[in-house]
């Protein structure tokens, strides 16, 4: 961690608890965390009072989904663009809604029980840790952190706080993902050996070229606060409103889209994560105003565990796919395949017969006639007729109920745990980091052109496995014959 980043985090932590201020112009006076920790415990009959930090696209969608749950109330929002603060009052029909550019004012309010952290990725760890220390429950958008070395600090802060935390990859709360998990765990596709998942697009907004408001100026946008510990740059509204396109603030297609795919796979298979990650890609179509690829493919190797056999997973995002787009996850086993998206699922069971068969494109016809006859005799003795026929291919389709609302359900799980005083959410920080780490490793692999080795159990990065070169045998005596070249010892 760089010196400037350490200084930034230290400064942020020391000022994380502040007195409540109704005006953004009020000076901030530091206060101890103790004044916030004595919050009234939420009873099952009380409303949960939420505040959203980051009122961009996802911030609005998250807030709406949260409010679709009963007994939840929005009491405050924070954003760095003045227009979004004014818009929030209208969008949520509350002219008196507390708004601020400084998230620390949110954390200082005793009427805020839980915060939604929906900021650019480089702020996730800072605000989450500060919120947990301030006694708030936290719903943090994916990916939980921007860099591999930030995950454990968030996990530690969560454990120490005793508060509820949910990471926001809401698809795993959908009926289709729940059904996929049930089928895979029941062994309906046999042993998993390969998984593929993709999320392609072909339109400007899908490629994150979001609209930039014409009133975006240094007066309406808090540019310095947005930068935080990112490299200092002159004001640039493109970077502010399209931050996903820049690695200083976002995590590219891996952190934004791979993380949804990998979260679903981890949920369905009960896996802890891969040990080896490699990425390849390029900037193929959307070349302006971005420094992250618009096409990326990553290969991940998952080791054998008590939950599953070893398998390989391939993830792909293509923002320049002008062909047919079918964004699904396929989990392939030795007895079938389950293919699913957020709204539907197809299970195909296809089990091979025990007998391998012979003939056609096979070596059988190359044997002599006597050998063929002996082969058939032995084959018939080993494989009776009932072992030679495969089970009929079986297809099962599942459609999610029309009223299935994965986003609201994901928040529902969060709020249930908040009310129960539990930390056992469906996507807690440990699960969230185990999903985030491999996709962050995808970026490291891409930008540094290397294979990344990861320990999914300890959640730490490893160096590549090394094998000591074979030792040369030392001759016991000087040879007397003509010298011959000594074979070179291979080195890995």
């Amino acid at each position: 961690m760089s010196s400037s980043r350490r200084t930034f985090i230290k400064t942020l932590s020391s000022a994380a608890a502040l007195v409540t201020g109704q005006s953004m112009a009020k000076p901030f006076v530091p206060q101890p965390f103790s004044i916030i920790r004595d919050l009234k415990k939420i009873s099952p009959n009380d409303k949960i009072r939420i505040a959203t930090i980051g009122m961009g696209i996802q911030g609005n969608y998250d807030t709406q989904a949260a409010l679709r749950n009963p007994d939840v109330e929005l009491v405050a929002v924070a954003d760095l663009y003045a227009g979004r603060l004014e818009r929030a009052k209208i969008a949520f029909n509350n002219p008196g809604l507390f708004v601020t550019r400084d998230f620390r004012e949110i954390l200082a309010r005793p009427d805020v029980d839980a915060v939604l952290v929906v900021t650019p990725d480089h702020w996730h760890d800072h605000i989450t840790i500060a919120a947990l220390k301030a006694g708030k429950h936290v719903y943090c958008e994916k990916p939980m952190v921007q860099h591999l070395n930030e995950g454990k600090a968030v996990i530690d802060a969560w454990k120490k706080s005793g508060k509820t935390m949910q990471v926001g990859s809401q698809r795993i709360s959908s009926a289709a993902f729940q059904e996929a998990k049930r089928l895979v765990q029941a062994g309906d596709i046999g042993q998993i050996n390969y998984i593929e998942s993709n999320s392609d697009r072909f339109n400007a907004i899908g490629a994150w070229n979001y609209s930039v408001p014409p009133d975006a100026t240094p007066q309406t946008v808090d540019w310095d606060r947005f930068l935080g510990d990112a490299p200092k740059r002159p004001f640039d509204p493109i970077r502010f409103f399209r931050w996903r396109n820049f690695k200083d603030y976002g995590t590219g297609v891996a952190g934004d889209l791979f993380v949804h795919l990998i979260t679903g796979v981890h949920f369905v298979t009960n896996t802890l994560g891969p040990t080896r990650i490699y990425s390849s890609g390029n900037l193929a179509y959307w070349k302006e105003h971005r420094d992250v690829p618009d096409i990326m493919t990553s290969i991940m190797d998952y080791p054998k565990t008590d939950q599953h056999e070893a398998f390989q997973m391939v993830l792909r995002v293509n923002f320049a796919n002008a062909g047919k787009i079918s964004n699904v996850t396929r989990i392939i086993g030795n007895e079938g395949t389950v293919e699913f998206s957020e709204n539907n699922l197809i299970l195909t069971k296809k089990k091979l017969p025990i007998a391998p068969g012979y003939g056609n494109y096979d070596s059988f016809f190359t044997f002599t006639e006597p050998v063929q006859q002996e082969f058939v005799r032995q084959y018939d003795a080993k494989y009776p007729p009932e072992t030679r026929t495969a089970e009929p291919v079986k297809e099962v389709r599942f459609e999610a109920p029309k009223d299935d609302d994965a986003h609201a359900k994901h928040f529902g799980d969060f709020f249930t745990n908040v009310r129960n005083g539990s930390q056992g959410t469906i996507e807690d920080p440990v699960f969230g980091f185990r999903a985030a780490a491999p996709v962050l490793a995808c970026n490291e692999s891409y930008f540094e052109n290397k294979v990344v080795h990861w320990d999914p159990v300890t959640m730490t990065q490893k160096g590549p496995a090394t094998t000591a070169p074979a030792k040369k045998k030392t001759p016991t005596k000087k040879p007397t014959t003509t010298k011959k070249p000594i074979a070179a010892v291979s080195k890995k």
Side-chain angles (χ1 to χ4, degrees):
M1 186 182 295
S2 67
S3 176
S4 61
R5 183 171 175 81
R6 282 195 296 268
T7 303
F8 175 77
I9 295 173
K10 184 176 179 181
T11 303
L12 178 71
S13 299
S14 66
L18 305 166
V19 292
T20 303
Q22 293 298 320
S23 168
M24 289 184 290
K26 266 192 174 181
F28 296 112
V29 181
Q31 296 284 323
F33 283 119
S34 58
I35 67 166
I36 299 175
R37 285 195 177 278
D38 297 329
L39 292 174
K40 174 175 174 268
K41 186 175 180 180
I42 299 169
S43 75
N45 297 320
D46 288 336
K47 283 190 174 183
I48 296 177
R49 297 150 298 187
I50 65 170
T52 302
I53 301 173
M55 286 303 297
I57 303 168
Q58 193 63 31
N60 274 271
Y61 279 111
D62 275 358
T63 306
Q64 292 165 6
L67 294 175
R68 290 198 291 273
N69 287 272
D71 299 321
V72 177
E73 179 184 7
L74 178 68
V75 298
V77 300
D79 199 89
L80 302 181
Y81 169 50
R84 285 176 175 163
L85 298 178
E86 291 305 310
R87 176 64 183 170
K89 296 178 182 180
I90 299 170
F92 296 98
N93 195 27
N94 185 354
L97 182 68
F98 177 81
V99 298
T100 178
R101 287 188 181 187
D102 195 320
F103 75 89
R104 296 171 298 177
E105 283 194 315
I106 297 282
L107 303 188
R109 293 183 64 91
D111 63 340
V112 173
D113 301 311
V115 296
L116 282 55
V117 181
V118 203
T119 63
D121 300 342
H122 72 304
W123 271 102
H124 283 185
D125 63 328
H126 303 312
I127 298 177
T128 294
I129 291 172
L132 291 168
K133 287 182 176 179
K136 311 300 184 187
H137 305 282
V138 175
Y139 183 102
C140 179
E141 262 303 328
K142 52 75 192 166
M144 189 178 82
V145 292
Q146 188 190 22
H147 299 108
L148 282 171
N149 61 2
E150 297 164 357
K152 288 194 173 181
V154 172
I155 292 171
D156 290 344
W158 165 67
K159 288 181 177 178
K160 291 175 183 176
S161 73
K163 295 298 177 180
T164 304
M165 183 171 168
Q166 178 88 295
V167 180
S169 283
Q170 68 273 2
R171 297 179 190 178
I172 62 173
S173 291
S174 70
F177 276 60
Q178 302 279 342
E179 180 67 5
K181 182 181 181 73
R182 186 188 71 79
L183 294 171
V184 169
Q185 296 306 312
D188 281 16
I189 63 170
Q191 296 292 342
I192 301 168
N193 54 62
Y194 182 80
I195 297 177
E196 57 187 9
S197 189
N198 56 283
S199 186
D200 290 353
R201 298 175 178 178
F202 192 54
N203 59 80
I205 293 176
W208 306 329
N209 286 342
Y210 300 136
S211 302
V212 177
D215 69 340
T217 67
Q219 287 69 48
T220 60
V221 172
D222 193 338
W223 175 250
D224 289 338
R225 194 185 302 276
F226 164 78
L227 289 178
D229 63 346
K232 303 305 176 187
R233 294 177 181 272
F235 174 70
D236 185 347
I238 295 289
R239 282 179 168 263
F240 182 87
F241 289 96
R242 299 178 183 173
W243 57 265
R244 283 178 170 84
N245 292 332
F246 302 94
K247 59 184 177 181
D248 285 345
Y249 327 112
T251 47
V253 296
D256 201 88
L257 296 173
F258 278 3
V259 71
H260 279 306
L261 308 180
I262 203 170
T263 297
V265 166
H266 284 198
F267 173 72
V268 170
T269 64
N270 288 338
T271 190
L272 297 181
T275 54
R276 187 174 180 272
I277 302 107
Y278 179 74
S279 294
S280 177
N282 67 309
L283 197 51
Y285 188 88
W286 307 101
K287 297 184 179 182
E288 294 184 348
H289 306 300
R290 73 180 65 211
D291 57 18
V292 294
D294 58 359
I295 293 176
M296 181 182 278
T297 301
S298 295
I299 301 174
M300 302 182 182
D301 294 333
Y302 282 72
K304 175 181 171 62
T305 71
D306 292 340
Q307 296 290 323
H308 57 75
E309 293 295 319
F311 64 84
Q312 184 184 81
M313 180 159 71
V314 177
L315 304 178
R316 187 194 76 225
V317 165
N318 182 358
F319 279 176
N321 186 350
K324 183 179 179 181
I325 294 176
S326 179
N327 291 331
V328 296
T329 296
R330 287 186 192 86
I331 301 181
I332 299 169
N334 57 10
E335 295 183 7
T337 299
V338 60
E339 177 181 293
F340 59 99
S341 63
E342 188 172 338
N343 299 315
N344 56 67
L345 175 152
I346 301 173
L347 168 70
T348 304
K349 290 183 68 67
K350 187 177 182 181
K351 192 173 180 179
L352 290 173
I354 297 173
Y358 62 89
N360 298 319
Y361 196 87
D362 176 41
S363 58
F364 178 78
F365 79 91
T366 67
F367 305 163
T368 63
E369 186 67 27
V371 172
Q372 288 184 11
Q373 293 174 358
E374 177 59 22
F375 178 91
V376 171
R377 187 190 67 79
Q378 293 182 17
Y379 186 92
D380 289 344
K382 186 175 181 180
Y383 300 110
E386 63 269 17
T387 67
R388 304 182 191 186
T389 304
E391 295 180 8
V393 175
K394 180 182 178 182
E395 184 175 284
V396 177
R397 291 179 177 268
F398 173 85
E399 293 286 341
K402 297 295 184 183
D403 59 351
D404 187 51
D405 187 342
H407 207 166
K409 284 164 61 178
H410 205 59
F411 273 102
D413 177 72
F414 173 59
F415 295 138
T416 297
N417 282 276
V418 168
R419 288 192 171 92
N420 294 339
S422 167
Q423 291 188 312
T425 55
I426 192 172
E427 194 175 358
D428 67 26
V430 174
F431 183 102
F433 184 49
R434 283 196 166 118
V439 301
L440 301 178
C442 288
N443 282 333
E444 185 171 316
S445 173
Y446 173 82
F447 286 110
E448 299 183 23
N449 192 26
K450 68 178 185 181
V451 174
V452 176
H453 298 267
W454 178 251
D455 187 330
V457 178
T458 62
M459 295 178 286
T460 53
Q461 191 167 354
K462 304 187 300 181
T466 57
T467 303
K471 292 182 179 180
K472 296 180 182 179
K473 290 185 178 180
T474 304
T476 55
K477 63 179 181 178
K478 188 174 181 180
T480 56
T481 57
T482 304
K483 289 185 179 181
K484 294 182 179 179
I486 300 176
V489 180
S490 63
K491 296 182 179 180
K492 293 184 179 180

